[in-house]
Amino acid sequence: MKLLKNMTFQVIIAIILGVLVGALWPSIGQEMKPLGDTFIKMIKMIIAPIIFLTIVLGIASMGNMKKVGRVGGKAIIYFEIVTTFALIIGIMVANVVKPGAGLDPSKLQKGNINQYVESAKQMDWVEFFTHIVPSNVVDAFAKGDILQVLFFSILFGCALTFLGKAGEPILKFLDLSSKIFFKILGFIMKLAPIGAFGGMAFSIGKYGLATLIPLSKLMFSVYMTMFLFVFVVLNIICKMYGFSLWNYLKYIKQELLIVLGTSSSESVLPNMMRKMEKYGCEKSVVGLVIPTGYSFNLDGTTIYLSMAVIFLAQVFHVDLSLTQQLTIIAILLLTSKGAAAVTGGGFIVLASTLASLNVIPIEGLALLIGVDRFMSEGRAIVNLIGNGIATLVVSKNENAFDQAKHNEAVVQLNYKQQEESLTA
């Protein structure tokens, strides 16, 4: 049956099976963790070389250093504007819905937050930004540090461009290497349903659906805010630049489902770069915007962080003034940039933010541990959607968007959907 061979269908079935196994046999569900972890490791294995090759080949195809700087500058400005909107919307919704009002913190399930608090104390944000420059290139690739790889790739691409014809043999070699790595990616993506199953079974098995009930109002508020952000704010941006949000979402539905199963937007980073090229964006823009966005354009994460701070303030009956809430926005605009680069980043950033405010008990983070995993999927999905739209916007703004290629991708998408509906 043709439908069974469809990757999207396979991932949906895998997620459903993961939920069932985790709910019915929690201990077995927790043992499925290596399946999800191994899939994500396989993706991480090729992220650094794919970013390097895409950026170098993209810059070489530009042949213009001013354009490289212009694209990077526009991307950063776009990230800051949209992230600010995400923070403001998160705080506004939390103030209106009041997800923490009426909750008794003593009756909520708590978890251990010591490791996150200690990590937050050690965080140095000046060091975070200077860390972008690697002390050892090989180490940057070995650790898969996206920002360090990005920095080195830009330098390498610029240097290769200045070589002119002398650099053509290297360009041909890198182009062939790029094709090899994307072929490897194709092999790995066939295992996506197994990774999605393992990730979902572990989440449900370890944390259980019962942990959602006391904090369901917070979960509902966060997901509702993310929904509004995508279908109002990002939809307006899409219309301003003349493309359809709905077509774009349909185009990346497979990636969205994989992120839902694995709770990691990194699991689809290489695939998103390839897909955005096929969707009409110039390779050079894709290579610069997507990897940078993974550290600087975390729309879903910033919505969650802002709402979590207000939620904890409401739980502990801390009445935050307008000035304090504006301070939260200012702090989160800085601290949220480190969320993707640190293990357990969301909690560490929250801990450092609460420590900076010094008005909400930092111990309150323990209330969020059980429910955090179930909101990480939403954060990752919104981050992914936002980075793709940022790439489209910068491409359009730079006149680096191939409308004919885009139209062809949309036609193929519609044809594929018709074929799937007939098969079903």
Side-chain angles (χ1 to χ4, degrees), residues 140-184:
F141 277 85
K143 289 180 178 176
D145 191 314
I146 291 176
L147 281 179
Q148 290 189 348
V149 172
L150 177 69
F151 181 83
F152 174 72
S153 303
I154 291 170
L155 286 179
F156 192 97
C158 293
L160 188 59
T161 302
F162 279 113
L163 283 179
K165 286 187 177 181
E168 285 182 4
I170 296 174
L171 267 177
K172 287 179 182 177
F173 170 75
L174 294 178
D175 185 50
L176 181 60
S177 299
S178 176
K179 289 173 183 174
I180 292 169
F181 274 101
F182 275 110
K183 183 63 73 175
I184 294 171

Side-chain angles (χ1 to χ4, degrees), residues 49-302:
I50 281 181
I51 288 175
F52 171 75
L53 292 166
T54 304
I55 291 174
V56 171
L57 291 169
I59 290 174
S61 67
M62 272 188 195
N64 185 341
M65 294 305 102
K66 286 184 180 178
K67 187 176 179 181
V68 174
R70 196 169 63 241
V71 168
K74 286 179 179 179
I76 294 295
I77 291 168
Y78 174 88
F79 295 158
E80 287 307 309
I81 292 171
V82 177
T83 300
T84 304
F85 269 108
L87 283 169
I88 292 170
I89 290 169
I91 287 176
M92 285 174 62
V93 173
N95 276 295
V96 172
V97 179
K98 299 186 185 301
L103 285 175
D104 183 352
S106 64
K107 294 180 180 177
L108 294 174
Q109 185 177 348
K110 297 181 177 68
N112 187 2
I113 59 163
N114 292 337
Q115 59 175 323
Y116 302 113
V117 174
E118 287 303 312
S119 296
K121 288 177 182 175
Q122 295 168 16
M123 288 189 84
D124 182 338
W125 294 103
V126 174
E127 187 182 330
F128 166 73
F129 286 106
T130 57
H131 176 74
I132 292 171
V133 181
S135 57
N136 185 311
V137 173
V138 176
D139 185 59
F141 277 85
K143 289 180 178 176
D145 191 314
I146 291 176
L147 281 179
Q148 290 189 348
V149 172
L150 177 69
F151 181 83
F152 174 72
S153 303
I154 291 170
L155 286 179
F156 192 97
C158 293
L160 188 59
T161 302
F162 279 113
L163 283 179
K165 286 187 177 181
E168 285 182 4
I170 296 174
L171 267 177
K172 287 179 182 177
F173 170 75
L174 294 178
D175 185 50
L176 181 60
S177 299
S178 176
K179 289 173 183 174
I180 292 169
F181 274 101
F182 275 110
K183 183 63 73 175
I184 294 171
L185 174 65
F187 298 150
I188 295 171
M189 291 309 294
K190 291 184 186 297
L191 302 174
I194 298 172
F197 166 77
M200 189 58 74
F202 168 74
S203 295
I204 302 295
K206 182 171 183 179
Y207 300 104
L209 295 171
T211 59
L212 306 181
I213 297 169
L215 298 171
S216 56
K217 194 174 181 182
L218 172 64
M219 275 196 69
F220 172 77
S221 302
V222 171
Y223 274 101
M224 180 184 72
T225 307
M226 290 178 179
F227 182 87
L228 288 172
F229 177 77
V230 172
F231 289 97
V232 177
V233 176
L234 295 184
N235 194 25
I236 289 171
I237 292 171
C238 289
K239 287 184 177 177
M240 284 171 59
Y241 284 86
F243 55 89
S244 165
L245 172 67
W246 190 244
N247 278 340
Y248 163 69
L249 293 178
K250 286 191 292 184
Y251 184 69
I252 63 165
K253 65 180 178 181
Q254 184 177 304
E255 285 68 34
L256 295 176
L257 285 168
I258 292 170
V259 170
L260 176 64
T262 60
S263 299
S264 169
S265 54
E266 274 194 352
S267 61
V268 295
L269 191 156
N271 226 34
M272 272 297 288
M273 292 174 77
R274 184 174 62 176
K275 273 204 162 182
M276 294 314 296
E277 280 184 56
K278 290 183 177 178
Y279 206 56
C281 300
E282 195 174 274
K283 181 191 275 285
S284 55
V285 176
V286 172
L288 285 170
V289 178
I290 292 279
T292 310
Y294 265 67
S295 287
F296 289 93
N297 189 39
L298 305 168
D299 301 329
T301 302
T302 49

Side-chain angles (χ1 to χ4, degrees), residues 10-29:
Q10 290 173 3
V11 173
I12 291 172
I13 296 299
I15 290 171
I16 294 170
L17 289 174
V19 171
L20 290 173
V21 170
L24 298 175
W25 304 285
S27 59
I28 295 175

